[in-house]
Amino acid sequence: MSALMTLQSVSRSFGNNLALDDVSLEAYPGEVHCLLGDNGAGKSTLIKIMSGVTPPTIGTLTFDGKPVTFRSPRDAQAHGIGTVHQDVGSIPLISVARNFFLGNEPTRGWGPFRRLDHQTANRIALEQIRQMGIRRIADAEQLVGTMSGGERQALAIARALYFGAKLLILDEPTAALGVKESKIVIDLIKQAREQGIALVFITHNATHALSVGDRFTVLIQGRVASQFKRGEKTREEVLNLMAGGEAFDAVGHGD
């Protein structure tokens, strides 16, 4: 199986600050590639490069077997890259359906008579979030501000997949969630993987990563500290790597 996206020897400098140094990784369809690291490890810079926010200073990107240069996030989206941020970018005071489409709403009529097709927008939004396992939302006119954190993540993931994401980048999706809500998101990741989507899951929580990851890259100060596949390292070894090789006083610390 060929990688959907490959980063080869990617580095990124901001002035004299080297944020990423010679990073290579691959994302495969139907797999979750977990990107691990503490704050300042370079995770945010790497996903900005993958999602078209900023170009690499040096290095190459390949998508679907072809070299690519993303000039903007919209350019990356056009190639099939969806990014879901921790705050998911939803607008609390508008409806579930309007948040789902966000400027891409279905319309009726033509020319000066074109108008938003509320009925179709509501139906599609509800169908898509129900496919993600969210049953509590019965009305697409419900305000997003009434949804839980896990439900908002589900909405954002459903939206990305509906609009054709082949690669889904999830930036710390469980960071602000409790145990129950985090499980919803982990289940959504597994569901997307089963659909053949390539996923990049950015997290500093080793427990969440190990529960769903197929491949792992650990970043420390902008460099790759280790890359491995599921089952090749214990949880303790992963935690130790994320801490820069320093010993932990207890297995559960450092998540």
Side-chain angles (χ1 to χ4, degrees):
M1 179 175 57
S2 300
L4 178 65
M5 188 172 194
T6 301
L7 280 69
Q8 185 66 43
S9 300
V10 165
S11 297
R12 174 66 199 190
S13 299
F14 297 95
N16 293 325
N17 177 35
L18 185 60
L20 285 178
D21 184 10
D22 194 28
V23 173
S24 298
L25 64 79
E26 297 176 328
Y28 288 84
E31 289 190 359
V32 179
H33 193 133
C34 294
L35 187 60
L36 303 168
D38 211 342
N39 293 333
K43 303 189 304 294
S44 294
T45 301
L46 188 57
I47 64 168
K48 285 178 180 177
I49 289 172
M50 297 178 73
S51 60
V53 174
T54 187
T57 304
I58 57 173
T60 59
L61 278 66
T62 303
F63 192 85
D64 230 352
K66 300 175 182 176
V68 291
T69 301
F70 298 138
R71 295 175 178 81
S72 68
R74 186 175 293 273
D75 195 10
Q77 289 168 13
H79 279 78
I81 297 174
T83 305
V84 177
H85 297 284
Q86 182 180 332
D87 61 5
V88 304
S90 58
I91 304 170
L93 295 179
I94 66 174
S95 72
V96 170
R98 292 300 295 271
N99 267 281
F100 184 87
F101 286 98
L102 283 180
N104 294 299
E105 292 85 358
T107 57
R108 304 177 66 177
W110 55 277
F113 303 104
R114 181 172 294 173
R115 62 194 184 280
L116 174 63
D117 187 346
H118 286 282
Q119 185 176 354
T120 299
N122 290 349
R123 174 180 57 79
I124 292 172
L126 271 183
E127 285 175 355
Q128 296 302 311
I129 63 173
R130 282 174 178 166
Q131 286 181 19
M132 293 284 109
I134 303 302
R135 307 288 181 185
R136 190 178 70 86
I137 309 301
D139 183 1
E141 295 289 344
Q142 181 174 329
L143 298 184
V144 162
T146 64
M147 299 174 78
S148 69
E151 289 168 341
R152 291 191 200 192
Q153 288 285 345
L155 175 63
I157 291 170
R159 180 175 64 207
L161 296 180
Y162 178 78
F163 286 106
K166 301 175 185 176
L167 171 66
L168 192 57
I169 301 171
L170 301 168
D171 183 13
E172 300 277 6
T174 62
L177 304 181
V179 174
K180 184 178 179 181
E181 294 292 296
S182 293
K183 184 180 183 304
I184 291 174
V185 175
I186 296 299
D187 287 344
L188 290 173
I189 293 172
K190 292 177 180 177
Q191 185 176 332
R193 176 176 60 189
E194 289 169 2
Q195 295 176 23
I197 304 298
L199 297 108
V200 176
F201 176 24
I202 296 92
T203 184
H204 62 271
N205 189 310
T207 301
H208 292 165
L210 290 169
S211 71
V212 74
D214 299 293
R215 296 173 188 266
F216 301 83
T217 295
V218 180
L219 290 180
I220 297 177
Q221 295 180 348
R223 293 186 62 89
V224 173
S226 182
Q227 290 183 314
F228 51 94
K229 296 179 182 178
R230 169 184 286 274
E232 291 181 350
K233 292 190 182 297
T234 65
R235 183 171 181 272
E236 291 85 347
E237 288 172 330
V238 174
L239 288 169
N240 197 42
L241 272 169
M242 291 173 65
E246 297 175 359
F248 275 69
D249 57 353
V251 170
H253 294 180
D255 283 16

